[in-house]
Amino acid sequence: MLESIKKTADFIQNKVKTKPEIGIILGTGLGGLVNKIENQEILEYSDIPNFPVSTVEGHSGRLIFGKLGGKNVVAMQGRFHFYEGYDMKQVTFPVRVMKELSIKYLFVSNASGGVNPDFEIGDLMVLSDHINLMQNPLLGKNYKELGVRFPDMSEAYNKKLIALADETASTVGIKLQHGVYVGTTGPTFETPAEYKYFRIIGGDAVGMSTVPEVIVARHSGIPVFAISIITDLGVEGKIIEVSHEEVQKVGAAAEVKMTELIKKMLEKL
Ligand code: HPA
């Protein structure tokens, strides 16, 4: 594993001039953020050694390097989901590579179903914490070069970055919700009983990504900021049929404010 991380990072460093300080993982409906990246250098996942290739509709697979909010960034347009059949080491491999490329912060976005009755479709939710109901990506041999055997998770989502998001959102008039993200494998959306259960155990939203990448980022010592677009509601009385198309449609509509928020946060970092 150590060798493949180094090999992939070396390959990228030989191809790309940008030295990224910030990594960004773009979820459903957030791919458009890349249009704001200046001085772009692009690598297709299929051209990067050891990178899996993304398959899901709505997720193209490219690494985009350049400048956003005056900072050097690397953005993943398209991520690897556990439900696609990748194992957790593959899902989180890009985070290991971004760490090797020396990123100092990781920003993550996703789409999720709200289970907090105060949420509305199209809301942005800053992740304050998560509940991992997926396989843990750190299972198996621990490489001490990458991180400790038993990583602390008391501040999975960096409090300073959350404060920066709140301050930035209020200056530009963006409403933010905050909450706990429940990570499930999918690919099924939830039954009404499952949505209710996720609420009872302390969740505010549920989705099929993010948690593995965040765990590996924390294992690597990288501070994380994550944000979710609430694309549907798993709230009693408000549950309607969900589809991937609907999730993408709502994601696209809310992505403009999310992009603005992230860009402005980077300016202040
Ligand atoms: N459940 C799980 N994942 C999701 C949902 C949902 O309701 N909406 C978007 N991603």
Side-chain angles (χ1 to χ4, degrees), residues 2-18:
L2 298 176
E3 234 172 69
S4 49
I5 295 165
K6 285 216 158 51
K7 201 176 142 211
T8 303
D10 281 350
F11 172 88
I12 292 170
Q13 275 161 338
N14 283 329
K15 289 266 180 205
V16 167
K17 286 199 281 296
T18 308

Side-chain angles (χ1 to χ4, degrees), residues 27-30 108-129 174-182 189-190 195 199 203-208 210 226-235 238-240 242-258:
T28 309
L30 238 195
V108 188
S109 68
N110 63 52
S112 68
V115 295
N116 181 327
D118 297 334
F119 288 1
E120 289 169 30
I121 289 175
D123 275 354
L124 297 182
M125 183 190 91
V126 171
L127 276 67
S128 54
D129 207 343
I174 292 173
K175 178 178 102 176
L176 289 182
Q177 304 281 13
H178 297 79
V180 175
Y181 177 93
V182 179
F189 291 111
E190 286 64 35
Y195 281 128
R199 182 67 187 151
D204 293 288
V206 51
M208 308 175 195
T210 301
I227 187 160
S228 199
I229 294 177
I230 305 298
T231 56
D232 53 277
L233 292 174
V235 172
K238 294 189 182 168
I239 298 174
I240 50 161
V242 199
S243 68
H244 186 59
E245 291 67 35
E246 184 61 23
V247 166
Q248 281 184 282
K249 207 172 93 193
V250 178
E255 116 175 275
V256 178
K257 48 181 180 169
M258 179 142 54

Side-chain angles (χ1 to χ4, degrees), residues 139-244:
L139 284 174
K141 180 176 162 60
N142 186 62
Y143 295 90
K144 61 179 184 313
E145 296 86 343
L146 300 180
V148 298
R149 172 74 285 190
F150 300 106
D152 174 65
M153 278 286 150
S154 61
E155 195 180 322
Y157 301 87
N158 187 269
K159 288 203 172 76
K160 285 195 186 122
L161 293 175
I162 294 172
L164 178 63
D166 289 338
E167 186 191 304
T168 308
S170 68
T171 57
V172 293
I174 292 173
K175 178 178 102 176
L176 289 182
Q177 304 281 13
H178 297 79
V180 175
Y181 177 93
V182 179
T184 65
T185 64
T188 44
F189 291 111
E190 286 64 35
T191 65
E194 286 165 345
Y195 281 128
K196 194 172 173 183
Y197 166 66
F198 292 150
R199 182 67 187 151
I200 290 168
I201 64 171
D204 293 288
V206 51
M208 308 175 195
S209 68
T210 301
V211 169
E213 295 105 313
V214 171
I215 290 175
V216 166
R218 297 305 303 130
H219 185 237
S220 314
I222 305 169
V224 174
F225 176 77
I227 187 160
S228 199
I229 294 177
I230 305 298
T231 56
D232 53 277
L233 292 174
V235 172
E236 229 169 339
K238 294 189 182 168
I239 298 174
I240 50 161
E241 195 178 317
V242 199
S243 68
H244 186 59

